[in-house]
Short mmCIF file of all heavy atoms in Angstrom, two decimals:
data_model
loop_
_atom_site.label_atom_id
_atom_site.label_comp_id
_atom_site.label_asym_id
_atom_site.label_seq_id
_atom_site.Cartn_x
_atom_site.Cartn_y
_atom_site.Cartn_z
N ILE A 6 80.95 50.82 134.56
CA ILE A 6 80.70 51.76 135.64
C ILE A 6 80.30 50.92 136.84
O ILE A 6 79.40 50.09 136.76
CB ILE A 6 79.57 52.75 135.28
CG1 ILE A 6 79.96 53.57 134.07
CG2 ILE A 6 79.24 53.63 136.47
CD1 ILE A 6 78.84 54.46 133.56
N LEU A 8 79.20 50.79 140.98
CA LEU A 8 78.63 51.52 142.10
C LEU A 8 79.18 50.90 143.37
O LEU A 8 78.92 49.74 143.67
CB LEU A 8 77.11 51.43 142.08
CG LEU A 8 76.38 52.13 143.22
CD1 LEU A 8 76.64 53.64 143.19
CD2 LEU A 8 74.89 51.85 143.12
N PHE A 27 70.07 52.63 139.52
CA PHE A 27 71.41 52.86 138.97
C PHE A 27 71.55 52.19 137.61
O PHE A 27 72.07 52.79 136.67
CB PHE A 27 72.47 52.33 139.94
CG PHE A 27 73.87 52.49 139.44
CD1 PHE A 27 74.47 53.74 139.42
CD2 PHE A 27 74.59 51.40 138.99
CE1 PHE A 27 75.76 53.90 138.95
CE2 PHE A 27 75.88 51.55 138.52
CZ PHE A 27 76.46 52.80 138.50
N SER A 30 69.60 54.20 135.15
CA SER A 30 70.34 55.43 134.89
C SER A 30 71.47 55.18 133.89
O SER A 30 71.68 55.98 132.97
CB SER A 30 70.92 55.96 136.21
OG SER A 30 71.57 57.17 136.04
N LEU A 34 71.78 56.67 130.25
CA LEU A 34 72.88 57.64 130.32
C LEU A 34 72.39 58.96 130.91
O LEU A 34 72.68 60.04 130.41
CB LEU A 34 73.51 57.86 128.94
CG LEU A 34 74.15 56.63 128.30
CD1 LEU A 34 74.67 56.98 126.91
CD2 LEU A 34 75.27 56.07 129.16
N ASP A 35 71.67 58.85 132.03
CA ASP A 35 71.07 60.02 132.66
C ASP A 35 71.11 59.86 134.18
O ASP A 35 70.36 59.05 134.75
CB ASP A 35 69.63 60.17 132.18
CG ASP A 35 68.94 61.41 132.72
OD1 ASP A 35 69.58 62.21 133.44
OD2 ASP A 35 67.74 61.57 132.42
N ALA A 36 71.96 60.63 134.83
CA ALA A 36 72.12 60.54 136.28
C ALA A 36 70.87 61.00 137.03
O ALA A 36 70.66 60.60 138.17
CB ALA A 36 73.32 61.35 136.73
N SER A 37 70.03 61.81 136.42
CA SER A 37 68.85 62.31 137.13
C SER A 37 67.86 61.20 137.47
O SER A 37 67.07 61.35 138.41
CB SER A 37 68.16 63.41 136.31
OG SER A 37 67.58 62.88 135.14
N VAL A 38 67.89 60.09 136.75
CA VAL A 38 67.02 58.95 137.06
C VAL A 38 67.32 58.44 138.46
O VAL A 38 66.43 58.02 139.21
CB VAL A 38 67.24 57.81 136.03
CG1 VAL A 38 66.52 56.54 136.43
CG2 VAL A 38 66.82 58.26 134.64
N PHE A 39 68.53 58.51 138.85
CA PHE A 39 69.06 57.97 140.09
C PHE A 39 68.99 58.98 141.24
O PHE A 39 68.96 58.61 142.41
CB PHE A 39 70.50 57.57 139.78
CG PHE A 39 71.23 56.81 140.83
CD1 PHE A 39 70.76 55.62 141.32
CD2 PHE A 39 72.44 57.29 141.29
CE1 PHE A 39 71.47 54.91 142.27
CE2 PHE A 39 73.15 56.58 142.22
CZ PHE A 39 72.66 55.40 142.72
N GLU A 40 68.91 60.25 140.91
CA GLU A 40 69.04 61.34 141.89
C GLU A 40 68.02 61.30 143.02
O GLU A 40 68.36 61.48 144.19
CB GLU A 40 68.96 62.69 141.19
CG GLU A 40 69.10 63.86 142.10
CD GLU A 40 69.07 65.18 141.37
OE1 GLU A 40 68.87 65.20 140.15
OE2 GLU A 40 69.26 66.20 142.04
N ILE A 43 68.72 59.07 146.21
CA ILE A 43 69.91 59.25 147.03
C ILE A 43 69.63 60.24 148.15
O ILE A 43 69.24 61.38 147.90
CB ILE A 43 71.10 59.76 146.19
CG1 ILE A 43 71.40 58.79 145.05
CG2 ILE A 43 72.32 59.93 147.07
CD1 ILE A 43 72.47 59.30 144.11
N PHE A 49 78.57 57.88 147.99
CA PHE A 49 78.92 56.89 146.99
C PHE A 49 80.32 57.19 146.52
O PHE A 49 80.64 58.33 146.18
CB PHE A 49 77.96 56.96 145.79
CG PHE A 49 76.56 56.53 146.12
CD1 PHE A 49 75.61 57.45 146.48
CD2 PHE A 49 76.21 55.20 146.06
CE1 PHE A 49 74.32 57.06 146.78
CE2 PHE A 49 74.92 54.79 146.37
CZ PHE A 49 73.98 55.72 146.73
N GLU A 50 81.16 56.16 146.51
CA GLU A 50 82.56 56.32 146.09
C GLU A 50 83.23 57.46 146.85
O GLU A 50 83.98 58.24 146.30
CB GLU A 50 82.63 56.55 144.58
CG GLU A 50 82.10 55.39 143.79
CD GLU A 50 82.16 55.61 142.30
OE1 GLU A 50 82.54 56.71 141.85
OE2 GLU A 50 81.82 54.68 141.57
N LYS A 52 82.01 60.19 147.83
CA LYS A 52 81.58 61.51 147.36
C LYS A 52 80.18 61.77 147.88
O LYS A 52 79.38 60.85 148.00
CB LYS A 52 81.55 61.55 145.83
CG LYS A 52 82.89 61.33 145.18
CD LYS A 52 82.75 61.26 143.69
CE LYS A 52 84.09 60.88 143.07
NZ LYS A 52 83.94 60.56 141.66
N ASP A 53 79.89 63.04 148.16
CA ASP A 53 78.52 63.36 148.56
C ASP A 53 77.60 63.24 147.35
O ASP A 53 78.05 63.01 146.22
CB ASP A 53 78.43 64.75 149.19
CG ASP A 53 78.76 65.88 148.23
OD1 ASP A 53 78.38 65.81 147.04
OD2 ASP A 53 79.37 66.86 148.68
N LYS A 54 76.33 63.36 147.59
CA LYS A 54 75.31 63.15 146.56
C LYS A 54 75.60 63.94 145.28
O LYS A 54 75.60 63.39 144.18
CB LYS A 54 73.94 63.56 147.12
CG LYS A 54 72.82 63.52 146.12
CD LYS A 54 71.51 63.94 146.74
CE LYS A 54 70.38 63.88 145.75
NZ LYS A 54 69.08 64.15 146.37
N TYR A 55 75.86 65.23 145.42
CA TYR A 55 75.99 66.09 144.24
C TYR A 55 77.30 65.88 143.49
O TYR A 55 77.32 65.92 142.27
CB TYR A 55 75.76 67.55 144.65
CG TYR A 55 74.39 67.69 145.27
CD1 TYR A 55 74.24 67.82 146.64
CD2 TYR A 55 73.25 67.62 144.48
CE1 TYR A 55 72.98 67.90 147.20
CE2 TYR A 55 71.98 67.70 145.04
CZ TYR A 55 71.86 67.84 146.40
OH TYR A 55 70.61 67.91 146.95
N ARG A 56 78.37 65.65 144.21
CA ARG A 56 79.64 65.35 143.54
C ARG A 56 79.57 64.01 142.83
O ARG A 56 80.09 63.85 141.73
CB ARG A 56 80.80 65.38 144.54
CG ARG A 56 81.12 66.79 144.99
CD ARG A 56 82.33 66.90 145.89
NE ARG A 56 83.23 65.77 145.80
CZ ARG A 56 83.90 65.29 146.84
NH1 ARG A 56 83.78 65.80 148.03
NH2 ARG A 56 84.71 64.26 146.69
N PHE A 57 78.91 63.03 143.45
CA PHE A 57 78.76 61.73 142.81
C PHE A 57 77.93 61.85 141.53
O PHE A 57 78.30 61.32 140.49
CB PHE A 57 78.12 60.72 143.76
CG PHE A 57 77.76 59.44 143.08
CD1 PHE A 57 78.75 58.54 142.69
CD2 PHE A 57 76.45 59.13 142.78
CE1 PHE A 57 78.42 57.36 142.03
CE2 PHE A 57 76.11 57.96 142.13
CZ PHE A 57 77.11 57.07 141.76
N LEU A 58 76.79 62.54 141.62
CA LEU A 58 75.93 62.68 140.44
C LEU A 58 76.64 63.43 139.31
O LEU A 58 76.50 63.08 138.14
CB LEU A 58 74.63 63.37 140.81
CG LEU A 58 73.68 62.54 141.67
CD1 LEU A 58 72.53 63.39 142.18
CD2 LEU A 58 73.16 61.33 140.91
N ALA A 59 77.41 64.46 139.66
CA ALA A 59 78.16 65.21 138.65
C ALA A 59 79.20 64.31 137.98
O ALA A 59 79.36 64.35 136.75
CB ALA A 59 78.82 66.43 139.27
N SER A 60 79.89 63.50 138.76
CA SER A 60 80.90 62.61 138.17
C SER A 60 80.24 61.54 137.31
O SER A 60 80.77 61.17 136.26
CB SER A 60 81.78 61.98 139.25
OG SER A 60 81.05 61.07 140.04
N LEU A 61 79.08 61.06 137.74
CA LEU A 61 78.35 60.06 136.96
C LEU A 61 77.87 60.66 135.64
O LEU A 61 78.01 60.05 134.58
CB LEU A 61 77.17 59.54 137.78
CG LEU A 61 76.37 58.38 137.19
CD1 LEU A 61 77.26 57.16 136.99
CD2 LEU A 61 75.21 58.04 138.12
N GLN A 62 77.33 61.87 135.69
CA GLN A 62 76.85 62.51 134.47
C GLN A 62 78.01 62.79 133.52
O GLN A 62 77.88 62.65 132.30
CB GLN A 62 76.09 63.80 134.79
CG GLN A 62 75.32 64.34 133.61
CD GLN A 62 74.27 63.35 133.09
OE1 GLN A 62 73.48 62.81 133.85
NE2 GLN A 62 74.26 63.12 131.79
N LYS A 63 79.16 63.16 134.06
CA LYS A 63 80.35 63.38 133.23
C LYS A 63 80.75 62.09 132.53
O LYS A 63 81.08 62.09 131.34
CB LYS A 63 81.50 63.91 134.08
CG LYS A 63 82.73 64.24 133.30
CD LYS A 63 83.82 64.79 134.20
CE LYS A 63 85.07 65.07 133.40
NZ LYS A 63 86.16 65.56 134.27
N GLU A 64 80.70 60.99 133.25
CA GLU A 64 81.01 59.68 132.66
C GLU A 64 80.02 59.35 131.55
O GLU A 64 80.41 58.89 130.48
CB GLU A 64 80.98 58.59 133.74
CG GLU A 64 81.34 57.23 133.27
CD GLU A 64 82.81 57.08 132.91
OE1 GLU A 64 83.65 57.77 133.49
OE2 GLU A 64 83.11 56.26 132.02
N PHE A 65 78.75 59.59 131.80
CA PHE A 65 77.74 59.33 130.78
C PHE A 65 77.97 60.18 129.53
O PHE A 65 77.78 59.73 128.41
CB PHE A 65 76.32 59.60 131.31
CG PHE A 65 75.87 58.61 132.34
CD1 PHE A 65 74.85 58.94 133.23
CD2 PHE A 65 76.42 57.34 132.45
CE1 PHE A 65 74.40 58.04 134.18
CE2 PHE A 65 75.98 56.43 133.40
CZ PHE A 65 74.97 56.79 134.26
N SER A 66 78.39 61.42 129.74
CA SER A 66 78.64 62.33 128.59
C SER A 66 79.74 61.80 127.69
O SER A 66 79.68 61.96 126.48
CB SER A 66 79.00 63.71 129.09
OG SER A 66 77.91 64.30 129.76
N THR A 67 80.73 61.14 128.28
CA THR A 67 81.80 60.59 127.46
C THR A 67 81.32 59.40 126.64
O THR A 67 81.90 59.10 125.59
CB THR A 67 83.02 60.16 128.31
OG1 THR A 67 82.62 59.11 129.20
CG2 THR A 67 83.58 61.32 129.10
N TRP A 68 80.26 58.73 127.10
CA TRP A 68 79.74 57.58 126.38
C TRP A 68 78.83 57.96 125.23
O TRP A 68 78.60 57.18 124.33
CB TRP A 68 78.99 56.66 127.35
CG TRP A 68 79.91 55.89 128.21
CD1 TRP A 68 80.47 56.30 129.37
CD2 TRP A 68 80.42 54.58 127.99
NE1 TRP A 68 81.29 55.33 129.89
CE2 TRP A 68 81.27 54.26 129.06
CE3 TRP A 68 80.21 53.64 126.99
CZ2 TRP A 68 81.92 53.05 129.15
CZ3 TRP A 68 80.87 52.42 127.10
CH2 TRP A 68 81.71 52.14 128.16
N ARG A 69 78.29 59.17 125.28
CA ARG A 69 77.37 59.59 124.20
C ARG A 69 78.09 59.88 122.96
O ARG A 69 78.95 60.15 122.51
CB ARG A 69 76.58 60.82 124.62
CG ARG A 69 75.53 60.45 125.61
CD ARG A 69 74.59 61.59 125.83
NE ARG A 69 73.90 61.30 127.05
CZ ARG A 69 73.56 62.18 127.95
NH1 ARG A 69 73.82 63.44 127.76
NH2 ARG A 69 72.94 61.82 129.02
#
Side-chain angles (χ1 to χ4, degrees):
I6 298 174
L8 179 63
F27 179 73
S30 184
L34 298 177
D35 183 3
S37 69
V38 171
F39 188 57
E40 180 178 4
I43 302 175
F49 292 94
E50 298 180 355
K52 298 175 186 169
D53 65 38
K54 174 181 181 174
Y55 301 104
R56 288 185 20 216
F57 171 73
L58 290 170
S60 68
L61 186 60
Q62 193 60 49
K63 183 178 178 182
E64 182 70 29
F65 290 158
S66 295
T67 63
W68 285 85
R69 286 191 197 142

